[in-house]
Amino acid sequence: MAGPERTETAARQSPAVPDASLHRRLEAIGTAAYVVDEEGRILAANVRARDVLALTADDMLGHDAHDLLHRDSHGQPLPRTRCRMRQAFHAGRTAQAAEDHFARGDGSLLPISWLITPYEIGDDGAGTLVLFHVADPAQATDPGPEPAARPLPELERLALLAEATAQLTSTLDVDEALERLVNLVVPRLADWVVIDLITERDEVWRTAVVHAEDGALVHRDDLQGPMPPVPEESPMPLSRALRGVASTVTGPGTYRRTPDSGIAVEQRRLFDMTGMHSAAIAPIRSTRAVLGALTLGRADDPVAFTPADLPLVEDIARRAGLALDNARLYQRQRKVAETMQNHLLPQMPRVPDLQMTVRYLPAPDASQVGGDWYDAFPLSDGSTALAVGDVVGHDLEAAAGMAQVRNMLRAYAWSQHEPPSRIVTRLDEALQHITDVDMATMVFARIEPADDGQWQLSWTNAGHPPPLLISRDGLASYLTDGHGIVLGAGAGTPRPDAVTLLPPGSTLVLYTDGLIEEPGHTLDKGLNRLSRHAAALAHRPLASFTDHLLRRVRPADNDDDVALLALRTPGVRTGAGGR
């Protein structure tokens, strides 16, 4: 199934190691299956495939599937120009055949029927899934074209389930999961699909009513919305499915009798409005609870559902339930994490003549809420304290540690009239004895008015990326003085202080490493990117400066949170004022 001819050595080069989830998905398929990459090399094969072919994983992985397996009816290598599977593979389409032959590891010839379909393999890109059965001997000897054209329901079912697994488990967004579910079943299995979900408040919501019309999917918003409560004893099909009792094949006649509940009334309206003559209804379950019900309906298709169709509908609904449950848990965790982080981060004080703005961007992964933080607060001597830091870790424990560090810093800075280095030294000593924080970085500074319209900044840096200072004319420089070791190192060495004057109209940027770090690139590259864009944006108002800086500088594949504090001193008093 490979593309251009290659040498034997090239053909056996190992492909990229696939994600472990690919192997798990193949093992869940109820027939022999393997996946190839874009060049036709085998990425993974399940146990059934290896057993049927009498091959080990080492015999298969990394090999060109066509060269390894495909044979003609006499056991000879099959020319690529005559290989139907190879042609479908290169066309990127789903195809099937009831008569072909694979070579087994023991040298024997295996008559097989097969189905192939494009298959997402995660970060490794696009692949192709191959499902095959040992063909019936009569099939294997029948040379006519009719068997190849005859549909193979079992293979199609397995291919659909494999696609459902790949599609539904690769998103953590509820709406996206529902959209993928709709596209999987309509119009392949039905011309109507209805999804009823049970909310976290135990209310039923008809989330989707979709019809296939002239090759397009049409959402019937008029049939969607809140539903009556689920009756506890109702024998009606949807009520039973929403209680997780059973799957059912039903039709409009079931709901023409006297309704026993509000849900039965809504179901009668659904059948009347859609014209469905047959429906299959299955519970949508997770491992913890019933999440809703999936209804597949046929109106244009004259073939009615039968009980034999229910196992497939149940399998799809089960996969949908797991995907929806994971997505709900993810969104709930993300909301909790973001709420906690937002409550931990303070509001900025109003300082006469100074502009200040802050931004916090959470990590893309909800589980990665971390210890990035910023702070600014007035000191008892009239100056203003500034801080940005990062507690090591990416979890709620790191966020809790961040709150401890920030609160202790505030207490020391307010009560002790000492240089920033001494305040941070006291904080470091306390962290090692009264907190669970193992390591942290920070820049702690104080700013106060100086002569000639300038502002004096004094600071110390505990292992953190250096502050960036941009003049009103767009000259950018990093404040690299005052750099010491991280908090928690236990070295006990003195920490340095640094002092500089901020000219009128200048902008100071304090930030965490999530703004500049990019996998596979040096830190210098991120620092250069930040200074270049900051200089270009120096003329913008501070809020606009900050927003554009985040958009331009934060790497697209960033998996860390970002805290940023930007401060601007007043400009020369010529009537224009500060920008």
Side-chain angles (χ1 to χ4, degrees):
M1 280 173 47
E5 297 287 348
R6 304 193 311 280
T7 65
E8 180 69 14
T9 301
R12 295 191 178 188
Q13 290 176 347
S14 296
V17 177
D19 189 273
S21 65
L22 176 59
H23 294 280
R24 292 194 298 270
R25 282 182 270 160
L26 287 187
E27 295 302 339
I29 296 175
T31 191
Y34 61 86
V35 170
V36 298
D37 64 14
E38 293 176 314
E39 296 184 15
R41 295 176 299 179
I42 298 174
L43 282 175
N46 65 10
V47 172
R48 291 180 181 85
R50 301 198 299 268
D51 288 346
V52 169
L53 295 171
L55 294 169
T56 67
D58 289 340
D59 293 331
M60 299 183 70
L61 299 185
H63 289 259
D64 183 289
H66 176 86
D67 295 342
L68 180 68
L69 300 175
H70 298 188
R71 299 292 183 267
D72 64 17
S73 58
H74 302 291
Q76 298 301 308
L78 184 65
R80 294 172 181 270
T81 55
R82 288 174 45 203
C83 181
R84 290 174 292 182
M85 188 186 294
R86 175 180 175 273
Q87 293 165 8
F89 164 73
H90 283 296
R93 58 182 172 83
T94 299
Q96 62 186 33
E99 179 193 358
D100 262 317
H101 299 84
F102 276 176
R104 299 182 80 240
D106 59 8
S108 63
L109 191 63
L110 183 71
I112 55 102
S113 55
W114 55 260
L115 181 145
I116 71 170
T117 187
Y119 193 72
E120 291 296 327
I121 53 177
D123 295 336
D124 296 315
T128 300
L129 172 67
V130 181
L131 306 171
F132 64 95
H133 277 289
V134 179
D136 183 86
Q139 275 188 317
T141 57
D142 184 355
E146 191 62 30
R150 190 169 67 238
L152 303 174
E154 177 64 10
L155 286 177
E156 290 177 359
R157 185 185 75 84
L158 293 169
L160 176 58
L161 292 178
E163 185 180 354
T165 301
Q167 290 285 323
L168 295 176
T169 60
S170 60
T171 180
L172 289 173
D173 180 85
V174 170
D175 293 335
E176 177 68 20
L178 293 176
E179 182 179 347
R180 293 183 182 188
L181 174 58
V182 168
N183 283 299
L184 280 167
V185 298
V186 177
R188 196 178 309 186
L189 298 178
D191 42 64
W192 285 92
V193 59
V194 181
I195 301 173
D196 295 294
L197 294 183
I198 300 173
T199 71
E200 294 182 354
R201 297 183 178 181
D202 288 329
E203 298 170 346
V204 180
W205 194 274
R206 181 147 282 173
T207 307
V209 180
V210 183
H211 182 218
E213 293 182 12
D214 300 323
L217 297 182
V218 179
H219 288 256
R220 288 291 300 270
D221 296 340
D222 58 315
L223 297 176
Q224 298 172 187
M227 294 278 284
V230 181
E232 295 182 1
E233 302 295 336
S234 173
M236 304 299 276
L238 180 59
S239 299
R240 286 165 57 84
L242 289 171
R243 297 198 307 271
V245 175
S247 303
T248 314
V249 172
T250 187
T254 303
Y255 288 95
R256 290 201 176 113
R257 67 187 68 165
T258 302
D260 65 350
S261 64
I263 280 186
V265 173
E266 287 298 318
Q267 281 295 87
R268 177 191 290 179
R269 185 167 81 95
L270 177 71
F271 278 99
D272 290 343
M273 297 289 288
T274 62
M276 292 189 299
H277 63 80
S278 179
I281 305 177
I284 298 176
R285 295 189 186 93
S286 72
T287 56
R288 302 180 302 116
V290 179
L291 304 181
L294 172 66
T295 300
L296 302 185
R298 289 175 179 168
D300 304 327
D301 186 343
V303 179
F305 283 104
T306 70
D309 295 310
L310 289 179
L312 175 59
V313 180
E314 290 171 344
D315 281 341
I316 293 173
R318 189 177 303 113
R319 286 160 171 77
L322 293 174
L324 289 173
D325 194 40
N326 288 338
R328 283 182 173 181
L329 288 172
Y330 173 85
Q331 292 181 352
R332 190 180 305 129
Q333 181 183 10
R334 186 172 188 86
K335 184 176 180 181
V336 168
E338 290 182 359
T339 300
M340 176 181 177
Q341 193 91 35
N342 289 332
H343 280 294
L344 291 174
L345 295 172
Q347 297 295 317
M348 291 297 96
R350 297 185 64 86
V351 180
D353 295 328
L354 281 182
Q355 299 178 48
M356 268 193 290
T357 187
V358 291
R359 296 290 185 270
Y360 173 76
L361 297 180
D365 183 351
S367 66
Q368 295 294 300
V369 58
D372 288 26
W373 59 282
Y374 56 76
D375 203 0
F377 51 93
L379 296 173
S380 57
D381 62 1
S383 62
T384 300
L386 308 172
V388 164
D390 186 359
V391 172
V392 173
H394 293 97
D395 50 29
L396 292 176
E397 185 175 333
M402 172 269 287
Q404 289 180 301
V405 172
R406 192 200 74 191
N407 292 336
M408 292 172 62
L409 176 66
R410 283 191 164 208
Y412 282 128
W414 176 264
S415 62
Q416 306 296 320
H417 300 286
E418 297 177 323
S421 62
R422 185 56 190 156
I423 299 297
V424 174
T425 298
R426 290 182 181 274
L427 176 65
D428 193 8
E429 293 170 350
L431 289 182
Q432 299 175 44
H433 298 287
I434 62 175
T435 75
D436 296 325
V437 175
D438 293 325
M439 190 172 295
T441 68
M442 69 159 31
V443 172
F444 176 60
R446 54 185 293 160
I447 186 169
E448 53 196 326
D451 297 331
D452 301 324
Q454 301 186 98
W455 290 71
Q456 178 175 292
L457 180 77
S458 56
W459 76 95
T460 190
N461 188 328
H464 199 78
L468 177 63
L469 180 63
I470 311 102
S471 73
R472 63 183 298 153
D473 298 319
L475 297 175
S477 60
Y478 284 103
L479 305 182
T480 55
D481 293 337
H483 201 89
I485 61 174
V486 299
L487 302 174
T493 56
R495 294 185 177 278
D497 282 295
V499 179
T500 192
L501 292 175
L502 306 185
S506 59
T507 303
L508 178 70
V509 180
L510 306 178
Y511 54 93
T512 56
D513 57 8
L515 181 64
I516 55 172
E517 285 189 344
E518 184 174 10
H521 297 276
T522 65
L523 192 62
D524 285 343
K525 182 175 181 180
L527 291 169
N528 290 336
R529 184 172 64 247
L530 173 60
S531 63
R532 187 173 67 253
H533 285 291
L537 294 166
H539 65 288
R540 289 182 177 266
L542 190 60
S544 175
F545 167 90
T546 307
D547 290 335
H548 280 79
L549 193 66
L550 280 173
R551 274 197 296 271
R552 294 186 186 186
V553 176
R554 188 189 195 194
D557 56 350
N558 173 282
D559 62 354
D560 199 0
D561 45 352
V562 177
L564 185 151
L565 186 156
L567 174 150
R568 181 167 294 168
T569 61
V572 179
R573 299 188 182 281
T574 60
R579 288 175 292 177

